Each structure stands twice: as structure tokens, then as C-alpha cells.
Amino acid sequence: MPCSSKQFYRTGLIVWLLVCVSGCASSKDKPTPLDINSSVPVPLVEKMPVTARVVFSKALNEYVTVETPTRGRSWEIRLGNTNRRVFEDILNSLFDEVLVAEGTDASDNYEAEADFTIVPSVDDYAMLTSGESGSKFYAVSMRHFLDIYRGDGDLAGRLEINSYGRSRAARFTNGSAEIDLATDEAFRDLAVTLIVELPDKLKQAGLISAASPAAADPIESE
Amino acid sequence: MKMPTNSRNLILRTMLVGAFLVLCSCVTSRVEYAFENTIETNVEDGVVLLTRRDNAESETSDKFIDCVKGKLRGGANGIELMDEQIFLDSLFPWFEPRVAPLTADALPDLLGKPGVASKVEEAGVRYVMWLGGAMEVSDGGGSVSCDINVGCFGFTWWENGATYEAAIWDLKNMESTGVISADVTGRSYLPAIIIPIPLIAPTKSTACDDLADELKKQFVSNS
């Protein structure tokens, strides 16, 4: 029996609503993966005449976080190798020699010839969409820690780096390009802070001489 | 078929109100500059326009920056600008928002850093133009309501204020060359009689034109 056009439209509407609801549910349940592949330019600084040892942990190398905004889809942000690459690039620019080790703490794969050991870790990654903040921007903030150990294995200090990045929201996008760009900016900001603050921290701890190249001193500005 | 007199009157009135508002959605602009002399440039004196990104609340929009760059490059006395990103990358991190100098007084300190002066010379950049400022809605009123059967009715207006500033630094002489600021206000209207008719004041484009024109006037080519 042929169904009336009213019945046909009603059935169509119900099917469409079901598809929408299931679509929403699946997008909330399963975060959209987003691989971050940031890099920073080679910094214009003078190398310090020291040998640094850096220990990269698996947690840093494979950092993944799920961000769920109050509105819209949730994201699985995969920082992956970007953390490691940025730290390696900047430390190689700051120091004469950098010895790379894998592990979780300063004693892992110990090499005696290093003047000090740095163990970087990522503590937090947070993201704010333009919809959440009510602004025209997507914002990303990250917090990293650098534990610095003396040659004898004693903890000499900890450097906390808070970095920020943002990007202008475009129309008719799902937000992936904006998150990517804001994260790029945050890594750039991380690199700047590392260049400026790490030498100071090492000087305070007596791990490099106070007369070491002042390339990384911040500019005095009003 | 003849149109009813009432409808004809309504359309006529709408057109009159529209014409009145077009004339009224005007823009007022004031450009101020502080330069001791015009800047005499040679072929080798490169110029780069950098955006101030240290104010999180009011970041200059990319569209405005592109507009100013386009106006500066264009025309008979166009200025050749170096790519901003290439300049920032080659001098990383010294012009990044967290550490960039805020005044020209910091230039000797910056150029005294190892490798910075030679990199600037290698890039061929002598003048840095710092561009900052933004546009914001300063006032407004009225309302428009829409209905799916009869359309939209009402009237709303808003006023935009834009303040932009360009500071020029001479990296060779390590000093500030001058500052130009453009204050622009514009009032936009949105009357709605069945359909909304946006009458947007060209605040941003006026600020762009005025700022770029004045900047170009300050650069005199010797080549």
C-alpha cells in the first residue's frame, strides 16, 4: 500500500533526527585525533662551553591528552615527538655538547662526562576554543618542568615553563587548524622561555660560570 | 498590474531612509604623526613591518596587517617590505612577543647580543615598523526582530572605534625615527523592513588607507 506523503516526510524526519543524535553521540564518545608536528627556528644564541646530558622519558616522547570543550567535538591531541624535538633543538643550540639518554630519571644511562643532567617533563596541556572563551581566538597553554641534576646526581633545581599560544578562529572549520596553529605558537613560546631562563637557572645553581655567554639574557626594556 | 499606493509609499519611504542612512554612516578619521624629518632611504635600506602581539586583549587582525602591507607595497612610491615571518625566524627569539624590545631605547642592548647585528645586516633590514592596535565596538543601540512569516522589522546601530599606531625604528642608528597614529570612528546602521539592510561604515579600511598613506609620505627614496 503506498504511504501518504505526510507519513513519508514524518518517517524521513525521524530517521534524520536519529542519524543526527547518533552522530553527536559518536563524536562525543570518540575524540578526533590531531597529530601535532611543530618545530622552532634555529635560535640566534652563542653556545655555552659545557656538556649537558638530557634524559627523555617515554611519557614525554609519547604525550597524548584528550581535550573536551564544553561545546563541540573532543580532541585527542598527540604531541608525540614534538616535545622531544623542541627540547633537543634548543638544548643543542645552547650547549657545546648534548648527550641524549632514554629513561625516566637522572641516573638512567648515566654518563660521567656530563657537567649536569636535565630531565624534561610535560605537566599539562590545556586548550580553549573560541566558543568557550567568547573571543575570536583559540588558546593553548602548556606547562613543562625541567629537573636539573648536578654531576653527582643531586637535584640542583627545577625550572617551570608556562607557555602560551593562540590563533584566530576561522569560519566554517572544525577547529583542527586553529588548535594546530595555537600549539605551534605555544611551542615557540616554550623555546623562547627555555632560551632566556635556563642559562639563568644554571648560573644560580653554579653549574655554569656567571661569565658564560650572555646570549640568552633578556633585553632590558621598559 | 498597478501597485497599491500604500506599498508604493512604504517602498519610497524605505528608500529615503536608506539614502539618508548611507549618507550618515560616515567615518571620521584623525591621523597624527611625530617625525623630526622624513626618512631618506637608499636601495640597500630594507624595511620590515612587524605586528605587536604582546596585547592579548586587542591583537591587530591579520586582515588589517595585510591591508597596510598591500597599500605600502603598491603605487608609484611603493615600499619594498621584507617578509615578516622570515625576519622573525632569522632573528629568533629576539623579536618574539615575550622578549621583543618595547622601546627603541632597548635597541643597543638587542644589537649588542652575539650575532644579532650581523644577522640584521645580512637581512638588509634598516627600518622596523611596529604596527599595533585594533578595532572595537564602542557604542550601539536599537533592535531588530525577525519572523519567518513577515520578515524582519526594526532598527539597530553601532559605533566602531579603531586606534592603530605605527612606530618606526632605525636599526642602523639604533633610534626611533617617528610614530604615526590613526584614530578612526564610524557609525554603522542596520535598518530592517522585511529584509535587513546593513549599512556598514568602512572604519577599518579608512584607518588602513590613512595610516599607509602617511607612512608612505615619510619614506623618501634617494635611488
Side-chain angles (χ1 to χ4, degrees):
Chain A
M1 192 177 75
C3 68
S4 72
S5 65
K6 203 172 178 181
Q7 274 176 323
F8 176 78
Y9 283 121
R10 190 175 291 164
T11 313
L13 187 69
I14 290 165
V15 169
W16 181 73
L17 280 171
L18 281 172
V19 168
C20 282
V21 169
S22 67
C24 290
S26 68
S27 74
K28 274 284 174 199
D29 290 343
K30 200 174 176 213
T32 309
L34 181 62
D35 290 304
I36 302 294
N37 201 13
S38 308
S39 60
V40 293
V42 178
L44 192 58
V45 290
E46 200 171 4
K47 284 188 178 193
M48 283 171 262
V50 289
T51 300
R53 184 170 158 266
V54 55
V55 179
F56 289 114
S57 66
K58 200 178 171 193
L60 182 97
N61 292 342
E62 297 171 6
Y63 186 82
V64 176
T65 176
V66 174
E67 296 293 313
T68 309
T70 49
R71 279 185 288 168
R73 70 179 70 193
S74 58
W75 295 92
E76 186 182 275
I77 314 281
R78 298 171 178 172
L79 296 185
N81 220 19
T82 300
N83 275 310
R84 184 188 177 126
R85 186 170 51 245
V86 169
F87 278 115
E88 238 182 305
D89 287 353
I90 298 301
L91 295 177
N92 271 310
S93 302
L94 284 174
F95 307 119
D96 256 358
E97 196 178 355
V98 176
L99 308 169
V100 176
E102 309 294 331
T104 51
D105 59 56
S107 60
D108 288 337
N109 303 307
Y110 185 68
E111 287 173 83
E113 62 265 37
D115 294 297
F116 50 85
T117 298
I118 294 170
V119 184
S121 60
V122 55
D123 179 62
D124 190 29
Y125 175 100
M127 181 196 91
L128 205 59
T129 65
S130 60
E132 284 177 296
S133 64
S135 75
K136 295 174 182 169
F137 297 93
Y138 276 68
V140 162
S141 68
M142 302 191 295
R143 184 165 57 238
H144 289 81
F145 290 116
L146 266 79
D147 289 329
I148 303 160
Y149 296 87
R150 298 180 197 283
D152 56 12
D154 283 351
L155 184 68
R158 170 177 257 206
L159 179 64
E160 179 183 334
I161 300 178
N162 291 291
S163 49
Y164 306 95
R166 61 182 192 153
S167 63
R168 197 172 282 271
R171 287 193 183 101
F172 312 118
T173 62
N174 65 5
S176 63
E178 285 89 342
I179 300 167
D180 203 0
L181 211 60
T183 311
D184 277 355
E185 262 204 23
F187 270 109
R188 212 172 156 108
D189 193 40
L190 162 74
V192 175
T193 315
L194 194 59
I195 292 163
V196 171
E197 290 185 10
L198 182 59
D200 275 351
K201 198 76 183 175
L202 295 172
K203 277 179 197 173
Q204 281 169 16
L207 294 169
I208 56 171
S209 82
S212 280
D217 285 348
I219 298 162
E220 293 298 324
S221 190
E222 283 170 22
Chain B
M1 199 174 74
K2 214 173 176 183
M3 193 182 273
T5 319
N6 278 352
S7 300
R8 214 167 43 198
N9 282 346
L10 183 68
I11 291 168
L12 204 66
R13 276 185 202 158
T14 309
M15 285 171 72
L16 276 171
V17 170
F20 172 73
L21 290 174
V22 165
L23 291 173
C24 287
S25 65
C26 53
V27 173
T28 54
S29 164
R30 192 179 75 235
V31 178
E32 288 177 356
Y33 61 92
F35 280 87
E36 282 187 16
N37 299 301
T38 52
I39 302 162
E40 294 186 9
T41 60
N42 298 310
V43 181
E44 66 271 18
D45 297 335
V47 183
V48 66
L49 191 148
L50 303 179
T51 316
R52 276 277 176 218
R53 297 192 194 273
D54 43 18
N55 187 347
E57 295 303 313
S58 58
E59 191 175 286
T60 314
S61 75
D62 292 341
K63 265 187 190 171
F64 183 80
I65 296 156
D66 289 344
C67 173
V68 173
K69 283 180 179 172
K71 297 271 176 196
L72 287 174
R73 287 188 174 118
N77 54 342
I79 302 168
E80 201 170 311
L81 297 173
M82 187 188 176
D83 184 87
E84 182 178 2
Q85 198 57 51
I86 292 174
F87 181 81
L88 291 175
D89 286 354
S90 66
L91 282 145
F92 184 78
W94 305 117
F95 284 88
E96 295 298 307
R98 198 180 275 273
V99 293
L102 297 176
T103 66
D105 294 340
L107 282 176
D109 190 17
L110 169 66
L111 294 164
K113 289 192 177 298
V116 175
S118 59
K119 191 59 98 173
V120 167
E121 202 178 326
E122 193 184 299
V125 170
R126 178 167 175 184
Y127 296 102
V128 169
M129 281 186 207
W130 282 108
L131 181 64
M135 189 171 84
E136 56 185 38
V137 176
S138 53
D139 202 3
S143 69
V144 171
S145 59
C146 295
D147 185 276
I148 200 155
N149 297 317
V150 291
C152 298
F153 284 93
F155 176 77
T156 183
W157 64 275
W158 64 94
E159 202 166 86
N160 286 326
T163 304
Y164 292 98
E165 189 179 90
I168 302 171
W169 295 354
D170 181 348
L171 297 182
K172 191 175 174 186
N173 294 324
M174 293 190 271
E175 61 182 16
S176 169
T177 311
V179 180
I180 296 175
S181 66
D183 285 311
V184 183
T185 53
R187 187 173 281 196
S188 304
Y189 300 97
L190 183 76
I193 303 165
I194 301 170
I195 55 158
I197 307 156
L199 304 162
I200 310 294
T203 315
K204 209 180 267 185
S205 60
T206 306
C208 167
D209 289 348
D210 290 356
L211 199 68
D213 286 349
E214 203 53 54
L215 280 168
K216 273 169 101 171
K217 277 186 206 163
Q218 297 305 323
F219 281 88
V220 178
S221 175
N222 278 338
S223 50

